[in-house]
Amino acid sequence: MGHMSEQQANCAQHKMNKHLSINSEEHHFTCNVCKKCCKWPSSSKAHVCIHTRQQLHTCDVCKKTFSQSGALKSHQTTHTGKRTHTCDICKKSFFCIRYLKVHLRIHTGEKLFTCDICKKAFTHRGDLQRHLQIHTGEQPFTCDICKKSFKQPGALKQHLNTHTGQRPHTCDVCKKSYIHFSSLKVHLRIHTVERSFTCEICKKSFNRSDKLKLHLRTHTGERPFKCDICKKPFAFRRELQNHLYIHTGERPFMCDICKKSFKHSRALKLHLNTHSGQRPFTCDVCKKSFRQSGHLKYHQRTHTEERPFACDICKKSFKRLGDLKVHLLTHTGQRPFTCDVCKKSFIRLSTLKCHLHTHTDERPFICNICKTSFQRSDSLKVHQRTHTGQRPFACDICKKSFKQSGALKLHLLTHTGQRPFTCDICKKSFRQSGHLKYHQRTHTGE
């Protein structure tokens, strides 16, 4: 065998140096953002893309982008469907040899990566890195919009969807979309998993016993989560968490356009539609569109006349659970919202808010056309119909239309012949409560 040329010798030396560096403790390239050390400039360059969110390599098939060429190569095998590397033990196959090597540790029980602080061992390096942040409290990945920080770049990437409104994970069965893949996975159980846990009271079924347990609280009235500040109890932990913002005044989610802030990311997302004019939820029957899926769901009941929420006491039914909850207070006599000025109490928070304007004489809702001002937004809405001529509430029997739903309800009594308001003294009945009040004066002499 002949002597190596100078070029071959240099190449061999470079490979040896690289090999020695891999097995040494030296890390030459440090990230300025999170201080992570890399052995090679290429590794350092790829790592920096995590912070800058720069995606240099694009898949020709689905246009998904990646910060590293190796990651793109691995991804491309998901389109070809080739899984050439198979585990001899369980026959599970993988797109690349690296995934197979990592998988084999499940069978061998090998845990190569140990935490220096608590000595807990992990199968994957990534698991160790995530674990270390428990000790350091470090959250190096920050959202440019709301400044919320995260431990992992993936968590930040998912969080950004709450600002953009993107829901990249779609159900193939019903086309419902989600921000998180984990949410889609849970949703898929609706289509695939048997719902074997049934509520004996309302017959609603669930795929998990813990979900049934939570649901039962809507019937039993159990409220195990109590606010430490005002002692108000709640049925669900998330309700307590939302309530706590009332005491702290915290509104961490701010609109970049009008600077209005919100307690929850979902409220900000819905608010953004007021600027974009987007109404992504459309009724299949009348094509009316809505900003929120909940509003569409409620509207659809005007077509189906469905009233799924019934009062156990008087059997009156409602289209919304919230309306039933408010109605129940009429039986208990509870009026949980009290005015600090005159101590008058109300069943609804919205009614209290409207009442407060009577003390301040504030009329914040102004008509764009005639500048008349109102204390309530719904009063303004009704008033604007005097300019537009809009009469959105139509009688199905005679097609007569009205500006207000209350006027339609009264009109329907002319067709049914119903007279729901009866005098206690002479038993004479009336269509309207106002007519009954006027009649009662004939007995009182008032």
Side-chain angles (χ1 to χ4, degrees):
M1 202 169 165
H3 291 289
M4 282 193 296
S5 67
E6 188 181 344
Q7 188 179 3
Q8 286 172 322
N10 287 339
C11 183
Q13 185 61 49
H14 172 72
K15 284 179 179 177
M16 178 58 77
N17 289 342
K18 185 174 180 180
H19 169 76
L20 290 169
S21 178
I22 289 167
N23 292 286
S24 75
E25 294 301 317
E26 288 180 55
H27 293 77
H28 301 289
F29 303 95
T30 305
C31 172
N32 293 327
V33 180
C34 67
K35 309 304 176 192
K36 184 177 179 177
C37 297
C38 301
K39 290 177 181 174
W40 305 106
S42 58
S43 304
S44 178
K45 190 180 175 184
H47 168 79
V48 165
C49 291
I50 292 169
H51 299 297
T52 62
R53 294 196 286 280
Q54 196 178 0
Q55 307 282 327
L56 304 172
H57 308 280
T58 305
C59 172
D60 295 331
V61 181
C62 66
K63 307 304 176 192
K64 192 171 180 180
T65 54
F66 301 86
S67 57
Q68 298 178 43
S69 59
L72 170 61
K73 279 178 185 173
S74 293
H75 163 79
Q76 283 170 331
T77 58
T78 63
H79 296 300
T80 62
K82 277 185 191 176
R83 290 172 171 262
T84 52
H85 307 282
T86 304
C87 172
D88 293 332
I89 300 164
C90 66
K91 306 305 175 190
K92 190 172 180 180
S93 56
F94 298 87
F95 293 119
C96 65
I97 188 77
R98 181 163 55 91
Y99 295 157
L100 173 59
K101 281 179 179 176
V102 170
H103 164 78
L104 285 170
R105 292 177 195 153
I106 294 168
H107 300 300
T108 62
E110 197 179 5
K111 296 192 174 204
L112 303 176
F113 307 99
T114 305
C115 172
D116 293 333
I117 300 165
C118 67
K119 307 305 176 189
K120 189 173 180 179
F122 299 89
T123 305
H124 308 116
R125 189 192 302 278
D127 292 340
L128 171 60
Q129 286 170 343
R130 280 189 288 276
H131 165 80
L132 285 170
Q133 285 163 352
I134 294 167
H135 298 299
T136 62
E138 197 185 355
Q139 300 202 312
F141 305 99
T142 304
C143 173
D144 294 331
I145 300 166
C146 68
K147 306 306 175 191
K148 191 173 180 179
S149 57
F150 301 87
K151 290 174 182 172
Q152 298 169 47
L156 171 59
K157 195 177 177 183
Q158 285 193 335
H159 163 79
L160 287 169
N161 290 333
T162 63
H163 296 298
T164 62
Q166 253 187 304
R167 301 171 83 86
H169 306 288
T170 304
C171 172
D172 293 332
V173 181
C174 66
K175 307 305 175 191
K176 194 170 181 181
S177 57
Y178 297 87
I179 291 170
H180 306 295
F181 180 62
S182 58
S183 302
L184 172 60
K185 274 170 103 173
V186 169
H187 163 79
L188 285 171
R189 292 177 190 154
I190 293 168
H191 302 298
T192 59
V193 178
E194 193 183 343
R195 299 168 77 86
S196 52
F197 302 97
T198 304
C199 173
E200 290 177 7
I201 300 164
C202 67
K203 305 307 175 191
K204 191 172 181 179
S205 58
F206 301 87
N207 54 23
R208 281 163 38 185
S209 59
D210 59 327
K211 285 188 176 180
L212 172 59
K213 197 176 176 182
L214 288 174
H215 164 77
L216 285 169
R217 289 177 190 159
T218 62
H219 298 300
T220 62
E222 190 191 356
R223 293 167 175 263
F225 302 100
K226 193 173 277 188
C227 173
D228 292 333
I229 300 163
C230 67
K231 309 305 176 191
K232 188 175 180 180
F234 297 89
F236 306 105
R237 191 188 301 278
R238 69 175 180 275
E239 289 179 340
L240 171 59
Q241 287 168 342
N242 291 341
H243 164 80
L244 287 171
Y245 286 127
I246 293 168
H247 298 299
T248 62
E250 201 184 344
R251 291 174 168 264
F253 303 97
M254 185 178 280
C255 172
D256 290 333
I257 300 164
C258 67
K259 306 305 176 192
K260 190 173 180 180
S261 58
F262 300 87
K263 290 169 185 172
H264 313 292
S265 60
R266 186 174 175 276
L268 170 60
K269 189 184 165 190
L270 292 172
H271 164 79
L272 287 170
N273 288 337
T274 63
H275 295 299
S276 65
Q278 246 186 315
R279 291 174 168 265
F281 305 99
T282 304
C283 174
D284 294 332
V285 180
C286 66
K287 306 306 175 190
K288 191 172 180 180
S289 57
F290 300 87
R291 290 194 186 110
Q292 299 180 37
S293 60
H295 291 174
L296 170 60
K297 218 174 188 179
Y298 175 67
H299 162 79
Q300 283 170 329
R301 289 175 187 150
T302 62
H303 298 301
T304 62
E305 292 183 11
E306 189 191 1
R307 290 174 168 265
F309 306 101
C311 173
D312 292 332
I313 300 164
C314 67
K315 307 307 175 190
K316 189 174 180 180
S317 57
F318 300 88
K319 291 175 185 174
R320 291 188 295 200
L321 177 62
D323 292 338
L324 171 59
K325 282 179 178 176
V326 169
H327 165 78
L328 287 169
L329 297 175
T330 62
H331 294 299
T332 61
Q334 251 185 306
R335 300 171 81 86
F337 304 101
T338 304
C339 171
D340 292 332
V341 181
C342 66
K343 306 305 174 190
K344 190 174 180 179
S345 58
F346 302 89
I347 289 170
R348 296 174 190 262
L349 176 62
S350 57
T351 314
L352 169 60
K353 282 179 178 175
C354 291
H355 164 79
L356 288 170
H357 295 313
T358 61
H359 296 299
T360 61
D361 206 29
E362 199 183 348
R363 301 172 79 86
F365 304 101
I366 299 166
C367 174
N368 294 330
I369 299 164
C370 67
K371 307 304 176 191
T372 303
S373 59
F374 300 87
Q375 288 179 342
R376 291 164 49 167
S377 61
D378 58 335
S379 301
L380 170 61
K381 205 174 180 181
V382 170
H383 162 80
Q384 284 172 328
R385 290 174 191 151
T386 61
H387 299 299
T388 62
Q390 197 185 6
R391 290 173 168 265
F393 305 100
C395 173
D396 292 332
I397 299 164
C398 67
K399 307 306 175 190
K400 189 174 180 179
S401 57
F402 301 87
K403 289 174 187 172
Q404 297 179 49
S405 59
L408 171 60
K409 278 177 185 173
L410 288 174
H411 165 78
L412 286 170
L413 297 175
T414 62
H415 295 299
T416 62
Q418 251 186 309
R419 292 173 168 267
F421 304 99
T422 304
C423 174
D424 294 332
I425 299 165
C426 67
K427 306 306 176 189
K428 190 173 181 179
S429 57
F430 300 86
R431 287 195 189 108
Q432 297 180 38
S433 60
H435 292 173
L436 171 61
K437 278 179 184 174
Y438 178 72
H439 162 79
Q440 283 171 331
R441 289 174 191 156
T442 61
H443 297 299
T444 60
E446 199 181 332

